Amino acid sequence: MSVPRPILIVLALLGAVLAGWGGLMLILARPKAAAGLSPGGAPTPPVVSLAYEPLAIGAPAAEFGRPWVTHVQITDLDQDGLPDVLYCEAQKNSVRWIRQSPRGTFTEHIIGEDIPGPAHVWAADVNGTGRRDVLVASMGKILPTNERIGAIVVLENLDNARFQKRVLADGLARVTDLRAANLKGHADGRLDLVAGQFGYDQGETRWLENLGGWRFESRVVNTQSGCIHTPVADFDGDGRPDIAALITQEWEEVHLIQNLGNGAFKDRVLWGSTNEQYGGSGLTETDLNRDGRPDLLFTNGDALDYLGLGVRPWFGLQWLENRGDGNFKFHRIGDMPGAFGPNAADLNGDGHLDVLAVSPFADWNKPDAVSLMAWLNDGRQNFTPVVLARQPTHLITATVGDLDGNGVPVIVTGGFHAFPPWENMSSVTLWRRK
């Protein structure tokens, strides 16, 4: 970073004391507008429109005081044919299941408690029981620390109503992502695990071979700090699932960890920024141009290393187009202050995959700051920006899926209210297209 972290921390502490706050807060600034953005940080007004209506689901924001929803996922957890919502919340250190039953009715259940700093949740049938377990990445603490307090946690699905917490590994650099895939090619279909570990100055990316009977053997495939997300797909087309990794901190790189077979992996950089303040914030796989090869979408908008939040001219959304044989081409899609949570879906029903992102780090003192943004695809991968929402603010995570069963995707977002202003807060919000 351009400013050493110890100095940033000291300055942030000094600012908190001077402001009379009771704990460590972020110092807010009013940054200058970037090129192509309005003075308040909003993208240039679009020439097309798309409107969504928000509906709060699950526990109300007031239950958490200031909600810290770190991740949301749409999945049919109990496999009853009705998609549900899973999320983790780091004020209560809990994992929650918003079950849909019957269609259009949502009821929240707490399925995991006392999981420090839950950062990511994922559903998968780890051992072939026919029931989907819930994988949880536990950071230990959400705010920066070098303590090895992270853990790999699985909530074993006993009967689609009860979940048993299993800590598969702890004492790790803070774990930010956890996913499942048959990386080793097990004949019985049991799933291995992939874990991204942000740490702080020290971090790792690892995979854990499933030996059966809830026994796992762990192997590190990257030793850099700052790993945020680790999507899994066959990126090089050889029939084996590979691992992509967003490595942030001073690295600011997207990696491809190729599966060579028989438990061997090769790590290489697909793309990297020379800007140490680039602020990588999210990575997901999708076939954006529908050519049969999985691409990567990634956002950069992390402002936690700054003394001020809001607009940076490089914050926004990118597409790494998979050209085959493990080769990728970089495309900039658009600008967005504090961009997080990249997703792809056909939002306007024209048959083309559009993209969206959310923002926890816009300048919320500006009335035109954007919290939810879409870019509509004309089918030739030309994208038109559309502002979907300015409130609620501080949105840090999003997922998209067909919750209503009508073929029209809905958006689900989570609010992360770790710094002021404390108005327009939300926990989990469902957005339906008008």
Side-chain angles (χ1 to χ4, degrees), residues 229-311:
H229 288 150
T230 55
V232 178
D234 181 10
F235 292 106
D236 58 8
D238 65 359
R240 294 184 290 263
D242 309 299
I243 305 166
L246 177 59
I247 310 292
T248 61
Q249 293 294 74
E250 68 267 39
W251 315 106
E252 298 297 350
E253 297 169 343
V254 178
H255 286 234
L256 177 62
I257 303 171
Q258 290 178 277
N259 187 344
L260 305 180
N262 200 31
F265 289 84
K266 179 182 179 181
D267 179 19
R268 67 184 179 90
V269 177
L270 290 183
W271 181 88
S273 174
T274 58
N275 180 359
E276 291 185 358
Q277 298 178 337
Y278 193 71
S281 57
L283 179 70
T284 190
E285 79 285 356
T286 186
D287 185 4
L288 189 58
N289 56 2
R290 293 182 165 171
D291 64 356
R293 294 186 290 259
D295 308 310
L296 290 164
L297 283 177
F298 72 101
T299 50
N300 63 309
D302 186 0
L304 281 175
D305 281 337
Y306 296 113
L307 295 182
L309 306 179
V311 177

Side-chain angles (χ1 to χ4, degrees), residues 18-31:
L18 292 176
W21 297 342
L24 175 60
M25 305 296 296
L26 300 175
I27 300 173
L28 301 180
R30 295 178 179 271

